[in-house]
Amino acid sequence: MLKLSVLDQSPVPAGSSHTEALHNTVRLAQAADRLGYTRFWVSEHHNSQGLAGSSPEVLISTLAAKTQRIRLGSGGVLLPHYSAYKVAENFRVLDALYPGRIDLGVGRAPGGTPHTASALQGGSANVFKGLDRFPGQVEDLIRFLTDSVEPGHPLEGIRATPLVGTVPQLWLLGSSGQSGVYAAQNGAAFCFAHFINGAGGQQVVRSYKSAFRPSQLNVVPQAMVGVYVICAPTWEEADRQARTLDLQLLMIEKGRFTGVPSPGDVEAYSYTEWDLSRVQDNRKRMIVGAPDQVKEQMALLAADYGVGELMVVAAGHDFGSRMRSYELLASAFQLT
């Protein structure tokens, strides 16, 4: 049976607040726990009016305290901005408190504008330097998580505390091939963001599997795919809900993302021919429909990628419709 997980970006619908968005993330994690989803990840975005999640480590601690069994993780920590040592310690604390339930997903995206990235890196004039050191950061992160700093290494003698006997699951996240290369080289798990890039991901995952090197983290490759899913009782209703995501993605491409648009915003927007072509192309990043339709499409997508788990990003203007998507999916896949 296909495993389903959740990625929640704490979206802020038009007319709502960041505080409300974070509380909705907590409610959604509790529902995912109850409905039988495998894991629940939260994202990291900065200086964003439309997304409230800026500190996944803090949010994960709250979610873990308010759920029972579901795995909690970051989707993901933007490693180039931070010290690998401090990230390892943050997630060791979480793993010590909630053993066997913590995932550490890391990415190399800036998570905001260059100006914001500079602020995250202490005012650095070269915000892209973090991308160059990302491969080494991943290696250091693994050394700290597994207590495997080699003799003679500059980090010899340094251990990440607390000292625990478990290791968070390490996932590298990406929407192109490079993160898959790093994941394979280091024996880490890999999640491809189909919801960001709907083209070419299948070959990325195949390449990751073929190049995978066994490690202390994983003996065999472990891959997952994230995808937008909008599920409603009928296709017509799902399509209406998807139109808010259509406009949201279009606005992001135009650099004008201020929140999740409302159905009224969709009705009022005047689409150009170019807009409509972008909407059509962006639908490749989504699965939209009634439960049976969505289940079939999700199974086909998983088979096409060769994975046994999909991470669902249920989009929509209102929290109720997103919650309903997850409830319908759980029933269609008989998760509980």
Side-chain angles (χ1 to χ4, degrees):
M1 176 63 73
L2 184 64
K3 293 181 180 180
L4 299 187
S5 294
V6 176
L7 170 62
D8 189 60
Q9 298 176 304
S10 302
V12 185
S16 184
S17 70
H18 282 223
T19 298
E20 185 176 357
L22 291 173
H23 284 293
N24 283 340
T25 292
V26 175
R27 293 169 58 194
L28 195 58
Q30 292 172 320
D33 190 32
R34 182 179 68 252
L35 292 169
Y37 284 85
T38 299
R39 58 188 98 233
F40 188 98
W41 286 3
V42 291
S43 62
E44 178 180 342
H45 295 86
H46 299 281
N47 195 28
S48 172
Q49 295 184 49
L51 299 171
S54 58
S55 181
E57 305 94 329
V58 175
L59 191 49
I60 288 168
S61 66
T62 295
L63 300 180
K66 292 180 179 292
T67 54
Q68 299 298 318
R69 55 138 211 103
I70 195 167
R71 295 190 67 92
L72 285 308
S74 53
V77 169
L78 305 179
L79 189 58
H81 297 314
Y82 311 117
S83 152
Y85 182 61
K86 183 58 175 174
V87 171
E89 291 200 322
N90 284 342
F91 278 81
R92 273 203 160 180
V93 169
L94 290 169
D95 204 47
L97 295 172
Y98 305 100
R101 294 184 60 200
I102 301 300
D103 294 337
L104 170 51
V106 299
R108 61 192 187 104
T113 65
H115 188 54
T116 305
S118 175
L120 284 164
Q121 297 179 22
S124 170
N126 181 10
V127 298
F128 298 105
K129 67 178 181 180
L131 299 181
D132 297 332
R133 63 192 183 100
F134 180 77
Q137 283 187 296
V138 171
E139 294 173 1
D140 287 344
L141 183 61
I142 293 171
R143 290 184 177 101
F144 290 131
L145 291 175
T146 59
D147 288 321
S148 58
V149 179
E150 306 93 331
H153 191 278
L155 298 173
E156 183 181 4
I158 301 174
R159 301 183 69 186
T161 53
L163 304 179
V164 295
T166 56
V167 179
Q169 282 192 7
L170 180 64
W171 292 79
L172 266 61
L173 320 179
S175 57
S176 65
Q178 192 57 61
S179 290
V181 171
Y182 295 146
Q185 290 174 344
N186 290 282
F190 177 60
C191 182
F192 184 82
H194 184 92
F195 68 98
I196 295 176
N197 179 10
Q202 295 87 341
Q203 182 55 50
V204 172
V205 172
R206 284 194 290 270
S207 296
Y208 157 73
K209 290 182 176 180
S210 64
F212 180 85
R213 300 175 184 173
S215 70
Q216 294 185 62
L217 300 174
N218 296 287
V219 177
V220 297
Q222 185 172 352
M224 178 169 55
V225 175
V227 60
Y228 282 123
V229 179
I230 299 175
C231 187
T234 66
W235 184 90
E236 291 78 12
E237 183 178 344
D239 182 62
R240 283 195 298 272
Q241 294 177 15
R243 292 174 196 171
T244 62
L245 179 57
D246 291 335
L247 184 57
Q248 175 184 335
L249 297 177
L250 185 62
M251 291 297 97
I252 292 173
E253 291 179 354
K254 293 185 174 186
R256 300 205 304 263
F257 181 44
T258 57
V260 182
S262 69
D265 295 328
V266 174
E267 293 298 323
Y269 188 82
S270 180
Y271 290 87
T272 66
E273 288 189 12
W274 182 87
D275 291 338
L276 293 174
S277 70
R278 293 305 308 141
V279 167
Q280 183 178 12
D281 191 60
N282 283 331
R283 281 287 178 117
K284 298 174 184 177
R285 299 153 62 180
M286 311 177 200
I287 293 176
V288 179
D292 288 346
Q293 296 169 318
V294 166
K295 181 180 180 181
E296 180 180 4
Q297 292 178 60
M298 291 175 69
L300 289 172
L301 182 72
D304 196 24
Y305 270 93
V307 299
E309 184 174 352
L310 293 180
M311 178 153 280
V312 176
V313 187
H317 173 262
D318 65 281
F319 177 72
S321 66
R322 292 197 295 128
M323 177 72 82
R324 186 62 174 150
S325 278
Y326 288 118
E327 291 171 343
L328 291 171
L329 287 175
S331 177
F333 282 90
Q334 299 180 328
L335 297 184
T336 53

